[in-house]
């Protein structure tokens, strides 16, 4: 079986092996650093150190040998490895296990009885000499400070040689009763049991611990004693006696012993002692960021947000934005960090998530009558007999309402000319363009149906009514996807000649007009995708780029089409749906023939295939962007991208733009026919000019304006009235701009709002919060989030409680709710992983953050089923920043996370992969080896989401190995990590 699957095994891990297999037998005339090149013959478990002529190999801690061949040291043979119950030897390390009825404590050596009574550390009788910890299953666990070990009674702590060499001057040996000090040859132990002084009489003494008998002297010394008895009265040393007094290596010479030290140590002036070389003291060990000295060597590491490169010295910024789960909407990478940014109308919560802002929760959104929240915005509507003012918030009587500049709706015109369909989508106002990642963009025009997300499924319908109002908006909503051949998504301005000919085609009397539809809302999302095709030799050939457009259309049903002849509202809706389907068929034909154009403001655009990037030039920019310092950046607020000038231009007077990367500016609101002073480059409606400023009002919202009278306030521009304080409250001055100017009887603190009826401060209810002092409202939490308790003071206390479910067959994530923000209280999540047949589960826990003081109220458990006595794979209720990888002990996995009402923390994001069970022996050999976690650099690899994604991708689908080039393979992992895996793979493949 193993020989039959050799090729498949090799393909999966060739990515890790190919860049390391080099010849070590090539002779060189000049000195070459074989260690850095990886051409040394050192064993995988040895340290390589370059020398002026060659290199040295020294076995790592936990191994023994000459460096070219290293064997594992069985730590369990000596003192049972320090384990209280069972010691299990592993490669380069060992692990302790407990007998039935006990579990391993946090020090990983002692075993704790599963207490039924549940002794608490709060009980003074816990008996721990140093540290007391409460255990997950009840009871307590005693631990000792560094340099001490737990006594047999599991309560006391015994000093070890690891703590200041046990206080010994020379040699320290650990015993059951504590450290015992000994001295080198020619020294004797003092009465304090620690200090060593040189002997006055060098003649051996049989009563001294450090004396040596004649039988311990080698044959050469014996012969010399017989030939020359006077030697007895002279000082003579030999490696056969106490290793010649050397700390490490000893060699007999004609002049006496010669001591030497292993790689990474230096011989001290006494000629005997070896001291570790602190490589970090000289030029930081060559490390970019952090250098950590180790016994006989050193290790470079990087600050958080950076990763170590393959030279194991340099650090490179981690692009967190590469990982698609980092942010809900926009991710901005920066050196060592990143920032999540939300679109307009959304706010950030949980550090990475974007939720819709419910503007209607604050002063009714400023609406005079009815406020309707929408995804990313809101709309004000008026009751019967009233019409919406031009400021889109106040309501005025229908008869006396001023003439309002009604925004033009998006219109689709299609005609058939020369046997081909030509379509033109016109958007004159309420246009928004957003550039996504990987050559994608979204264009929206008009106002979406309130309460919808701008998405939906084909055939969705919607109805918008306010109370008992007879004026209802019945709307049809549908989506369609159009594929338009090869090439990347791009918007480019149509050439003038093409625009003229296209306009003539639409206006040509001979052309057959097929469609003329006015929509309420249109959304076009263009997405580019690439398909890598393999060549005969297994390497990727040409990337096939293709694009698709997902369109959302919302169409209002005209109630005037209802007739007395029997066509009711349902009949009119069916007719509209039929007409809409016919329009989509026509639009599909025009897109397929590349005869679809967009009209924004005074410019016309066409869907274009993005040109290939020149070999020495940057990639062309997307819509609404310009090139600066070889990077594409969005046009800023208050500007738009002018196709004629090819640059960002300030919005002309009478228009504004409050978003980046747009192609047109919005028209400033105002009554028609009145000359109102306007400003250029307006970044919001408030900067348009000519409107009443906050704290002021007028009958039409424009100058001249009057200040709000005492007892009222107005926080917005261009309003026709002011808001009363309520409760007979007054303001100190006229022209107040917020409720905080109203003289309340008490000032409410954050997390409260002022009730003008009872004149008391009320705690904000669940699902709301208040950041400021002295307000009369609470803000609703964004999206589908809520708070753990009432009286919340920040949006960070709004948390998403969604979690759990049945997850993917091959790869996926188990994530605490609201991650990476703090998870909510009193939540229970359950996941189930059911791999396909003949596949097993590998899980990596990079880090997990749970509160330490919660007495295991929050925990994560993974077992075979929901039954408490089923086979358990993993269980924890504490914070662990050190990663761990393990395979499931069962073919299926039931996972549960539960929190109580106490403190909460960041939680976890745990990736998993299912792999072919033929690899079971290899995967378990890797994850159970302590060397995988011994190095900080290896730990960082297990935390690197990009690297783990690549590794899991190949494990789940071995054919995806061919998606990585040789260069990508070499730069992916540090050499030490590749050598570690190579040894495992070669052992697995060895017949």
């Amino acid at each position: 079986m193993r020989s039959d699957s050799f090729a498949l095994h090799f393909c999966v891990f060739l990515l890790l092996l190919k860049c390391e297999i080099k010849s070590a037998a090539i002779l060189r005339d000049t000195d070459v650093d074989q260690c850095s090149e990886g051409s040394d013959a050192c064993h995988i478990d040895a340290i390589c150190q370059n020398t002026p002529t060659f290199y040295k190999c020294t076995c790592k801690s936990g191994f023994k040998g000459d460096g070219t061949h290293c064997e594992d040291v069985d730590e369990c043979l000596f003192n049972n490895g320090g384990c209280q119950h069972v010691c299990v030897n592993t490669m380069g390390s060992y692990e302790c296990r407990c007998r039935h009825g006990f579990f391993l404590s946090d020090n990983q050596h002692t075993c704790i009885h599963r207490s039924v009574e549940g002794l608490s550390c709060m009980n003074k009788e816990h008996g721990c000499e140093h540290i007391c910890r409460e255990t997950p299953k009840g009871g307590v666990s005693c631990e000792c400070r560094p340099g001490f070990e737990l006594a047999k009674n599991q309560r006391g702590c015994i000093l070890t040689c690891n703590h200041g060499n046990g206080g010994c001057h020379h040699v320290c040996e650990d015993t059951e009763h504590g450290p015992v000090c000994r001295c080198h040859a020619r020294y004797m132990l003092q009465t304090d049991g620690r200090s060593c002084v040189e002997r006055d009489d060098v003649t051996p003494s049989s009563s001294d611990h450090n004396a040596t008998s004649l039988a311990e002297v080698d044959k050469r010394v014996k012969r010399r004693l017989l030939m020359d008895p006077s030697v007895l009265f002279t000082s003579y040393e030999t490696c056969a006696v106490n290793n010649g007094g050397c700390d490490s290596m000893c060699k007999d010479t004609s002049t006496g012993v010669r001591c030497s030290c292993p790689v990474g140590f230096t011989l001290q002036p006494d000629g005997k002692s070896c001291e570790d070389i602190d490589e970090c003291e000289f030029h930081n060990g060559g490390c970019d960021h952090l250098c950590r000295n180790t016994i006989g060597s050193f290790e470079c590491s990087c600050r958080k947000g950076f990763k170590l490169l393959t030279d194991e010295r340099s650090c490179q910024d981690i692009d967190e934005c590469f990982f698609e789960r980092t942010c809900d909407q926009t991710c901005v990478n920066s050196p060592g960090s990143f920032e999540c940014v939300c679109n307009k109308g959304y706010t950030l919560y949980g550090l990475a998530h974007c939720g819709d802002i419910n503007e209607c929760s604050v002063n009714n959104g400023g609406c005079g009558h009815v406020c309707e929240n929408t995804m990313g915005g809101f709309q004000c509507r008026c009751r019967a007999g009233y019409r919406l003012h031009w400021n889109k918030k106040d309501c005025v009587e229908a008869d006396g309402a001023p003439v309002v500049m009604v925004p033009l709706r998006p219109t689709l015109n299609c005609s058939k000319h020369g046997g081909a369909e030509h379509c033109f989508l016109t958007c004159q106002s309420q246009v928004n363009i957003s550039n996504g990642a990987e050559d994608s963009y979204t264009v929206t025009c008009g106002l979406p149906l309130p309460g919808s997300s701008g998405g939906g499924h084909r055939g969705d319908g919607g109805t918008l009514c306010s109370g008992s109002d007879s004026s209802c908006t019945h709307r049809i909503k549908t989506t369609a996807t159009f594929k338009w051949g090869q090439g990347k998504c791009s918007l480019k301005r149509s050439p003038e000649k093409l625009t003229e000919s296209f306009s003539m085609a639409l206006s040509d009397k001979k052309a057959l007009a097929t469609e003329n539809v006015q929509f309420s809302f249109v959304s076009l999302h263009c997405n580019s995708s690439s398909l890598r095709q393999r060549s005969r030799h297994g390497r990727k050939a040409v990337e096939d780029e293709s694009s698709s457009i997902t369109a959302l259309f919302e169409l209002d049903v005209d109630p005037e089409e209802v007739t007395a002849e029997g066509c009711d509202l349902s009949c009119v809706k069916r007719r509209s749906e039929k007409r809409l389907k016919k329009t989509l068929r026509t639009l599909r034909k025009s897109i397929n023939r590349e005869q679809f154009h967009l009209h924004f403001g005074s410019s016309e655009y066409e869907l274009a295939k993005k040109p290939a990037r020149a070999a020495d030039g940057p990639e062309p920019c997307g819509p609404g962007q310009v090139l600066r310092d070889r990077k594409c950046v969005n046009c800023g607020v208050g500007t738009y991208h002018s196709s004629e000038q090819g640059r960002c231009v300030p919005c002309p007077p009478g228009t504004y733009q409050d978003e980046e990367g747009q192609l047109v500016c919005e028209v400033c609101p105002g009554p028609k026919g009145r000359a109102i002073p306007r400003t250029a480059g307006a970044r919001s409606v408030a900067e348009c000019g000519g409107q009443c400023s906050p704290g002021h009002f007028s009958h039409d919202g424009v100058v001249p304006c009057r200040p709000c009278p005492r007892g009222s306030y107005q926080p917005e521009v261009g309003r026709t009235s002011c808001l009363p304080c309520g409760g007979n409250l007054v303001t100190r001055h006229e022209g107040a701009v917020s409720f905080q100017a109203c003289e309340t009887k008490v000032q409410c603190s954050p997390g409260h709002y002022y009730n003008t009826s009872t004149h008391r401060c009320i705690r904000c209810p669940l699902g709301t919060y208040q950041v400021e002092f002295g307000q009369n409202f609470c803000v609703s939490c964004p999206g589908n989030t809520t708070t753990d308790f009432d009286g919340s003071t920040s949006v960070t206390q709004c948390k998403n409680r969604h979690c759990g479910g049945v997850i993917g067959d091959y790869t996926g994530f188990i994530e605490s709710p609201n991650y990476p923000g703090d998870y909510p209280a009193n939540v229970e999540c359950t996941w189930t992983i059911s791999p396909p047949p003949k596949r097993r589960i590998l899980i990596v826990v990079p880090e997990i953050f749970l509160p330490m003081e919660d007495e295991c109220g929050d925990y994560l458990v993974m077992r075979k089923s929901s039954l408490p006595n089923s086979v358990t794979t993993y269980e924890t209720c504490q914070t662990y920043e050190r990663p761990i990888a393990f395979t499931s002990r069962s073919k299926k996995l039931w996972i549960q996370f539960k929190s109580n009402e106490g403190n909460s923390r960041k939680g976890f994001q745990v990736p998993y992969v299912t792999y072919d069970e033929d690899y079971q022996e290899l995967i378990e050999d890797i994850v159970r080896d302590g060397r995988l976690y011994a190095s900080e650099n290896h730990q960082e690899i297990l935390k690197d989401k990009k690297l783990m994604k690549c590794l899991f991708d190949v494990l789940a689908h071995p054919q995806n190995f061919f998606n990585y080039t040789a260069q990508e393979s070499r730069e992916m992992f540090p050499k030490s990590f590749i050598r570690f895996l190579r040894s495992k793979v070669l052992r697995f493949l060895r017949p």
Side-chain angles (χ1 to χ4, degrees):
M1 176 67 181
R2 181 174 294 181
S3 60
D4 294 338
S5 59
F6 175 86
L8 181 60
H9 295 152
F10 186 75
C11 286
V12 174
F13 289 94
L14 192 59
L15 172 65
L16 305 173
L17 301 178
K18 63 189 173 82
C19 60
E20 290 299 315
I21 300 177
K22 299 180 180 179
S23 173
I26 300 175
L27 298 177
R28 294 172 172 84
D29 295 332
T30 58
D31 176 49
V32 177
D33 190 349
Q34 295 92 342
C35 298
S36 61
E37 285 189 349
S39 59
D40 60 90
C42 295
H43 192 267
I44 178 62
D45 299 313
I47 298 173
C48 177
Q49 184 182 39
N50 188 54
T51 65
T53 57
F54 204 51
Y55 59 90
K56 293 182 180 180
C57 302
T58 307
C59 292
K60 296 178 182 177
S61 176
F63 294 87
K64 61 182 178 180
D66 59 3
T68 58
H69 179 74
C70 299
E71 295 180 353
D72 174 57
V73 175
D74 190 351
E75 294 87 353
C76 298
L77 295 178
F78 177 73
N79 195 28
N80 197 38
C83 301
Q84 184 181 0
H85 286 181
V86 181
C87 178
V88 179
N89 186 54
T90 61
M91 289 298 296
S93 186
Y94 66 99
E95 63 180 40
C96 300
R97 298 179 182 175
C98 299
R99 293 191 291 269
H100 180 71
F102 294 79
F103 63 93
L104 201 63
S105 70
D106 290 341
N107 63 22
Q108 303 299 308
H109 284 77
T110 56
C111 295
I112 303 170
H113 186 268
R114 298 185 185 276
S115 173
V116 178
E117 299 177 0
L119 183 64
S120 169
C121 289
M122 298 298 292
N123 187 344
K124 296 182 180 179
E125 303 299 324
H126 60 71
C128 296
E129 184 175 348
H130 282 184
I131 303 170
C132 175
R133 293 192 185 279
E134 296 174 4
T135 61
K137 305 298 182 181
V140 298
S141 161
C142 295
E143 295 181 8
C144 297
R145 293 190 293 271
F148 295 80
E149 65 179 16
L150 205 60
K152 287 185 176 181
N153 63 6
Q154 304 302 308
R155 294 291 185 267
C157 293
I158 300 175
L159 178 69
T160 68
C161 295
N162 291 331
H163 184 76
N165 197 36
C168 300
H169 190 186
H170 282 184
V171 181
C172 178
E173 295 180 2
D174 283 315
T175 68
E176 294 183 358
H177 304 288
V180 173
C181 300
R182 302 188 188 281
C183 299
H184 297 316
R186 298 190 297 115
Y187 290 83
M188 62 182 297
L189 196 65
Q190 293 292 87
T191 55
D192 62 1
R194 296 181 179 182
S195 305
C196 295
V197 295
E198 189 172 1
R199 292 177 181 276
D200 295 330
D201 180 11
V202 298
T203 304
S205 174
S206 59
S207 61
D208 198 299
H209 268 299
N210 300 285
T212 57
S213 65
L214 188 63
E216 295 175 316
V217 183
D218 65 5
K219 294 180 180 179
R220 289 178 301 161
V221 177
K222 287 182 179 179
R223 285 197 299 268
R224 189 172 179 187
L225 288 172
L226 292 173
M227 293 173 61
D228 186 5
S230 63
V231 172
L232 290 171
F233 301 98
T234 61
S235 176
Y236 184 81
E237 289 181 322
T238 174
C239 296
V241 180
N242 197 27
N243 195 38
C246 300
D247 270 3
S248 185
M249 294 172 282
C250 178
K251 183 179 180 181
D252 284 311
T253 67
S254 59
T255 58
V257 300
R258 179 178 297 172
C259 301
S260 60
C261 301
V263 176
F265 294 83
T266 181
L267 194 65
Q268 296 302 290
D270 62 5
K272 305 288 185 180
S273 307
C274 290
E275 184 174 314
D276 172 57
I277 300 173
D278 188 355
E279 294 87 351
C280 299
E281 287 187 350
F282 305 97
H283 305 293
N284 198 40
C287 303
D288 265 6
H289 287 182
L290 307 176
C291 180
R292 184 177 70 90
N293 187 53
T294 61
I295 302 300
S297 186
F298 70 102
E299 188 176 85
C300 297
S301 59
C302 302
R303 293 190 293 270
K304 189 174 181 63
F306 294 84
K307 69 175 181 179
L308 197 67
L309 297 183
T310 54
D311 63 2
E312 300 187 332
R313 298 287 190 276
S314 307
C315 294
Q316 184 184 65
D317 171 55
I318 297 175
D319 184 4
E320 293 87 354
C321 298
F322 171 86
F323 193 59
E324 62 269 15
R325 298 173 63 93
T326 301
C327 299
D328 278 359
Q329 292 181 356
T330 303
C331 181
V332 180
N333 187 56
S334 60
S337 184
F338 69 98
E339 181 183 6
C340 294
V341 180
C342 296
N343 298 335
K344 181 183 177 183
Y346 294 82
T347 188
L348 192 69
Y349 72 89
L351 302 179
H353 305 288
C354 294
D356 170 60
I357 300 173
N358 184 3
E359 294 87 352
C360 298
S361 68
V362 180
N363 287 332
N364 196 39
C367 299
H369 287 179
V370 180
C371 180
E372 294 285 348
N373 187 53
T374 63
M375 295 301 293
F378 71 103
Q379 286 181 282
C380 297
R381 297 193 178 271
C382 300
R383 292 188 289 270
Y386 290 84
R387 296 181 62 184
L388 198 63
H389 189 261
W390 59 261
N391 61 21
K392 301 179 184 178
K393 292 191 175 182
D394 289 318
C395 292
V396 294
E397 293 185 6
D399 294 336
V403 179
V404 179
M405 298 173 60
V406 180
L408 297 176
R409 293 190 174 191
T411 305
L412 180 67
N413 292 287
C414 295
S415 65
K416 196 168 186 178
H417 180 75
E421 300 286 351
H422 299 259
C423 289
F424 211 109
L425 179 65
T426 302
C427 294
Q428 297 289 5
S429 63
Q430 296 163 328
V431 182
N432 180 272
I433 299 174
S434 58
N435 289 292
E438 300 295 332
D439 301 300
S440 66
Y441 63 83
T442 301
V443 177
T444 61
C445 184
L447 293 174
L449 181 71
S452 73
S453 60
H457 304 283
R458 181 181 294 274
D460 287 350
T463 302
L464 176 65
C465 301
S466 56
S468 58
D469 189 4
S470 59
S471 59
C472 294
T473 300
H474 299 273
R475 185 171 291 187
I476 301 170
K477 183 171 63 173
T478 188
T479 58
T481 300
F482 309 95
K483 294 184 178 180
W484 61 287
Q486 296 183 353
K488 296 182 179 181
C489 290
S490 179
L491 272 180
K492 75 173 185 179
R493 189 170 181 270
S494 304
E496 293 184 6
K497 292 183 179 180
L498 179 60
T499 302
E500 292 176 2
S501 61
F502 196 77
S503 300
M504 290 175 62
L506 289 176
S507 60
D508 191 352
K509 295 181 179 180
K510 295 181 180 180
L512 178 61
T514 56
E515 305 294 340
N516 187 341
V517 183
Q518 282 194 343
F519 294 101
S520 301
F521 178 75
V522 175
S523 173
L524 301 176
H525 175 71
C526 188
N527 183 57
S528 299
S529 60
S530 59
L531 178 63
R532 291 182 175 181
Q533 297 180 347
R534 280 187 290 166
S535 65
R536 295 179 181 177
H537 305 290
R539 278 304 174 194
K540 60 181 182 180
V542 181
E543 290 188 353
D544 184 17
E545 299 283 352
S546 62
S547 300
S548 62
I549 298 176
T550 302
L552 167 68
F553 298 98
E554 293 185 10
L555 177 66
D556 286 347
V557 177
D558 189 359
E560 294 182 1
E561 293 185 15
V562 177
T563 62
E565 286 77 14
C567 190
D568 57 6
L569 184 61
S570 299
C571 170
V572 174
K573 287 184 66 176
R574 286 194 299 270
R575 286 181 180 178
S576 300
E577 289 173 354
K578 186 177 180 180
R579 186 166 62 248
L580 184 58
K581 289 180 180 179
K582 178 177 177 295
T583 301
L584 293 180
R585 287 195 297 268
T586 303
L587 181 60
R588 189 180 301 276
K589 292 178 183 179
S590 70
I591 291 177
N592 290 339
R593 292 177 177 269
E594 299 182 13
Q595 297 295 325
F596 177 57
H597 289 237
L598 302 173
H599 186 189
F600 303 139
S602 59
S603 303
E604 294 172 6
Y605 294 81
E606 61 177 316
L607 303 177
K609 297 186 177 103
K610 197 168 188 178
R613 179 172 57 181
D616 57 348
E619 190 168 335
C621 296
Q625 294 182 323
V626 292
L627 194 64
R628 290 178 185 168
D629 298 327
R630 299 179 66 85
K631 290 184 180 180
C632 293
V633 295
N634 291 330
C635 290
V637 294
T639 69
Y640 72 101
H641 185 265
S642 171
S643 300
E644 293 85 355
Q645 304 180 45
R647 63 185 183 90
C648 301
V649 179
C651 291
T655 64
Y656 73 97
Q657 184 51 259
D658 56 1
E659 293 193 46
E660 295 181 345
Q662 300 303 307
L663 300 178
V664 294
C665 294
E666 297 291 335
V667 178
C668 289
K672 190 175 182 180
R674 279 195 58 185
I676 301 175
R678 301 292 193 181
T679 57
R683 296 174 294 179
S684 65
V685 175
E687 295 183 7
C688 279
Q691 303 172 77
C692 292
S693 60
H696 296 75
F697 74 104
S698 70
H699 72 283
D700 56 3
V702 295
V703 292
C705 308
R706 291 181 297 165
C708 291
R710 297 182 63 183
S712 64
Y713 63 96
Q714 181 51 256
E716 300 180 5
V717 299
R719 299 307 297 266
T720 62
S721 62
C722 296
L723 302 174
C725 289
N728 296 322
L729 299 177
V730 297
T731 56
R732 185 168 299 179
H733 306 286
E734 293 182 340
V737 298
S738 73
F739 178 80
Q740 292 168 316
C742 301
E743 295 185 327
T744 57
K745 296 183 178 180
V746 292
Q747 186 181 38
C748 297
S749 60
H752 299 74
Y753 72 96
Y754 188 85
N755 187 311
T756 56
S757 299
T758 61
H759 294 284
R760 297 177 57 187
C761 294
I762 310 297
R763 292 173 65 88
C764 290
L766 286 174
T768 65
Y769 65 95
Q770 178 51 258
V771 182
E772 300 178 344
F773 283 89
Q775 288 290 9
N776 62 337
F777 62 87
C778 292
V779 183
S780 293
C781 283
N784 297 319
T785 63
T786 187
T787 56
D788 290 337
F789 310 100
D790 58 359
S792 296
T793 59
S794 171
V795 68
T796 59
Q797 294 171 285
C798 297
K799 303 174 183 178
N800 192 331
R801 301 181 65 88
H802 176 72
C803 61
V806 179
I807 41 186
D809 291 339
Y810 293 96
T811 60
F813 288 87
I814 304 148
E815 188 176 85
S816 56
N818 204 56
Y819 183 90
D822 291 350
Y823 53 79
N826 297 315
V827 70
E828 183 173 335
C829 311
T830 303
W831 299 268
T832 303
I833 305 178
S834 298
K838 296 185 178 180
R839 296 186 73 86
R840 302 299 295 265
I841 306 170
L842 169 65
I843 295 176
V844 175
V845 182
E847 55 189 5
I848 181 170
F849 297 92
L850 303 176
M852 298 289 291
E853 65 276 7
D854 256 11
E855 302 181 2
C856 286
D858 304 346
Y859 65 86
L860 175 67
V861 62
M862 305 181 187
R863 52 177 180 251
K864 183 177 180 180
S865 68
S866 59
L867 299 176
N869 59 348
S870 62
V871 178
T872 300
T873 295
Y874 178 79
E875 185 174 6
T876 184
C877 64
Q878 294 185 8
T879 291
Y880 289 101
E881 297 188 50
R882 179 173 175 169
I884 183 173
F886 52 87
T887 57
S888 172
R889 296 177 60 192
S890 54
K891 289 192 174 182
K892 294 183 179 180
L893 207 55
W894 179 87
I895 304 165
Q896 185 183 59
F897 171 66
K898 197 170 184 179
S899 67
N900 63 7
E901 62 183 10
N903 297 325
S904 71
R905 290 196 65 186
K906 178 178 178 180
F908 52 87
Q909 185 184 70
V910 177
Y912 75 90
V913 62
T914 65
Y915 58 92
D916 193 312
E917 62 182 15
D918 289 342
Y919 302 124
Q920 179 70 5
E921 180 183 343
L922 172 62
I923 299 299
E924 288 194 349
D925 186 29
I926 293 174
V927 300
R928 292 181 178 178
D929 195 322
R931 290 173 295 176
L932 179 62
Y933 318 101
S935 167
E936 288 186 8
N937 298 330
H938 291 184
Q939 295 177 30
E940 291 303 316
I941 291 173
L942 297 179
K943 293 183 179 183
D944 192 316
K945 296 178 181 179
K946 181 178 180 180
L947 292 182
M948 293 310 299
K949 181 179 183 297
C950 297
L951 203 56
F952 278 17
D953 182 41
V954 175
L955 274 176
H957 309 285
Q959 68 274 14
N960 288 348
F961 155 73
F962 298 104
N963 291 341
Y964 302 96
T965 64
Q967 182 69 17
E968 289 173 332
S969 304
R970 282 192 296 269
E971 297 177 354
M972 197 165 289
F973 299 98
K975 293 178 181 178
S976 61
F977 187 75
I978 296 176
R979 283 199 292 264
F980 166 73
L981 290 183
R982 181 179 63 180
S983 66
K984 297 294 184 182
V985 176
L986 292 178
R987 180 183 302 173
F988 178 72
L989 298 179
R990 189 177 299 126

